[in-house]
Amino acid sequence: MVTLNDVAKSANVSKMTVSRVINHPEQVTDELKQLVFKAMNELDYHPNLAAKALAANATRIIKLVILEKVDTVEPYYATLLMGVAQFLNAHQYALQVVTQKNADIGECDGYIITGARNDDFTWIQELRKPVILYGENRHHYDFVDSDNKYGTFLSTGAAIKDGYDQIIFLGIELKESFEYSRERGYMDTMQKSGLQPQIIRFGNHSSESQQYIEDHWHEFKPNTCFVCSSDRLAIGVERGIQRMGGAIPEDFGITGFDGVFLDQIAEPKLTTVKQPVMAMGSKIAELLMQKINHGVTTNDQSPERDRTEVMFSPELIRRNTTRNYHLN
């Protein structure tokens, strides 16, 4: 049977270092972790994590709680899931994906919660393990998100530079922080350029945005760009314009937001604000692991404490639904 000493000798490190890599990886440099993990793989060494978890009164299970209807955002959450899973796998943690309806079934060491809406926070406050949210919020919870305001600053600014006379924002009918931020990025950019903003909102369904374009087609003059709060809305706009015989991108431009799968299956392919979703998934798992390793056992969101806010910068990906798409 391969022992801890065998791993230490193979990696040319001390037994204590191997133990620290296994039990407290946040205290070890990436270089040392790579040496130890390489030795463990070569020797086929598997630490007795079950015994360790039992001794520490832990489960080595993290719950990813999705509170949004996954049928409307499935590709997005699949990418997020991969980012979370990759980090947890490297640290010998299991990932359990649940919804609010069954999130209380079984024990876990912490929660990653995404898709939370204002009505969900009463339930979240009752959780007795560390929590980190995927998505900015006004409830003082630690979170990871992309800079939504900056994202629509990029897409709106690109539409202005492309020379579109009218730039309309199509938003999601939600009173949530991420939507407010995306609208604010659009509003600020339009106002600074001396242009008149126009915002229309509906559910995050391509059928709704397509129907809106078709029903109001007579109101849209050529040289109009639609800045959308999601790729799903943008695909609906694209289909509506095509059905009404409009020319994309010469007469009508379209930008989406997310950059996860849907932007690539559209035809023509969407210009979009791409979020680094997989990297954000890994980061939120890392932050939750830090809480667990530092012995955080409560779900404290009091305004007095310093909360962790990690914002990733999105990137504008130029494709065929806006002019000058060759710039990317």
Side-chain angles (χ1 to χ4, degrees), residues 99-163:
T99 66
Q100 181 173 346
K101 293 180 180 179
N102 61 358
D104 295 325
I105 298 176
E107 295 295 325
C108 68
D109 295 340
Y111 296 89
I112 295 171
I113 298 179
T114 181
R117 304 297 182 234
N118 285 324
D119 294 342
D120 297 313
F121 283 92
T122 299
W123 170 79
I124 294 173
Q125 289 170 5
E126 296 175 356
L127 299 175
R128 300 274 69 87
K129 293 294 175 67
V131 170
I132 294 188
L133 266 57
Y134 180 71
E136 57 182 307
N137 64 94
R138 295 171 290 169
H139 297 266
H140 214 73
Y141 282 89
D142 298 334
F143 72 84
V144 173
D145 203 347
S146 62
D147 191 334
N148 292 290
K149 180 180 177 180
Y150 178 66
T152 47
F153 160 78
L154 292 175
S155 56
T156 306
I160 293 171
K161 290 178 182 177
D162 286 350

Side-chain angles (χ1 to χ4, degrees), residues 42-327:
E42 290 176 349
L43 297 173
D44 196 27
Y45 174 77
H46 302 283
N48 193 340
L49 297 176
K52 174 191 171 185
L54 184 62
N57 193 28
T59 66
R60 300 198 73 81
I61 295 172
I62 299 299
K63 290 190 179 185
L64 173 62
V65 186
I66 300 177
L67 299 179
E68 193 168 8
K69 292 182 180 179
V70 295
D71 61 330
T72 65
V73 285
E74 186 173 350
Y76 187 94
Y77 278 128
T79 306
L80 174 68
L81 180 63
M82 286 299 297
V84 173
Q86 284 183 0
F87 185 90
L88 294 181
N89 288 342
H91 293 82
Q92 294 81 48
Y93 266 78
L95 177 63
Q96 183 181 19
V97 181
V98 295
T99 66
Q100 181 173 346
K101 293 180 180 179
N102 61 358
D104 295 325
I105 298 176
E107 295 295 325
C108 68
D109 295 340
Y111 296 89
I112 295 171
I113 298 179
T114 181
R117 304 297 182 234
N118 285 324
D119 294 342
D120 297 313
F121 283 92
T122 299
W123 170 79
I124 294 173
Q125 289 170 5
E126 296 175 356
L127 299 175
R128 300 274 69 87
K129 293 294 175 67
V131 170
I132 294 188
L133 266 57
Y134 180 71
E136 57 182 307
N137 64 94
R138 295 171 290 169
H139 297 266
H140 214 73
Y141 282 89
D142 298 334
F143 72 84
V144 173
D145 203 347
S146 62
D147 191 334
N148 292 290
K149 180 180 177 180
Y150 178 66
T152 47
F153 160 78
L154 292 175
S155 56
T156 306
I160 293 171
K161 290 178 182 177
D162 286 350
Y164 290 104
D165 293 330
Q166 186 177 24
I167 302 171
I168 302 172
F169 186 85
L170 301 188
I172 303 171
E173 188 63 72
L174 284 173
K175 296 180 179 179
E176 301 295 339
S177 297
F178 80 90
E179 179 63 23
Y180 293 146
S181 294
R182 292 180 189 183
E183 292 186 11
R184 177 50 57 191
Y186 163 79
M187 290 283 292
D188 287 353
T189 307
M190 292 288 285
Q191 290 171 351
K192 287 178 182 177
S193 299
L195 300 174
Q196 183 66 37
Q198 181 181 353
I199 297 178
I200 300 109
R201 305 179 185 91
F202 19 64
N204 190 24
H205 301 281
S206 60
S207 58
E208 292 190 30
S209 55
Q210 177 179 345
Q211 192 64 53
Y212 176 81
I213 294 296
E214 294 176 12
D215 290 345
H216 297 264
W217 182 247
H218 64 282
E219 301 174 12
F220 307 128
K221 298 178 181 179
N223 210 28
T224 294
C225 185
F226 298 92
V227 175
C228 302
S229 191
S230 73
D231 287 341
R232 195 168 294 275
L233 293 180
I235 285 180
V237 171
E238 182 179 68
R239 291 171 180 166
I241 293 173
Q242 290 172 328
R243 186 165 181 178
M244 302 307 292
I248 303 171
E250 294 79 13
D251 291 335
F252 297 96
I254 312 163
T255 66
F257 202 117
D258 285 335
V260 181
F261 183 67
L262 294 180
D263 58 307
Q264 299 178 53
I265 65 170
E267 184 56 44
K269 289 182 171 59
L270 286 172
T271 291
T272 190
V273 177
K274 183 177 180 61
Q275 303 184 74
V277 179
M278 188 169 291
M280 290 192 289
S282 293
K283 186 63 178 181
I284 198 168
E286 177 187 350
L287 293 176
L288 182 60
M289 196 70 62
Q290 289 175 4
K291 281 191 169 189
I292 294 170
N293 290 334
H294 284 90
V296 177
T297 58
T298 61
N299 180 17
D300 177 19
Q301 79 285 353
S302 59
E304 293 77 18
R305 74 176 183 89
D306 293 330
R307 77 168 173 176
T308 301
E309 303 177 7
V310 179
M311 286 282 200
F312 282 73
S313 293
E315 176 187 6
L316 181 68
I317 303 297
R318 288 271 199 170
R319 294 202 179 97
N320 301 50
T321 57
T322 53
R323 298 169 186 159
N324 297 322
Y325 57 84
H326 62 279
L327 292 177

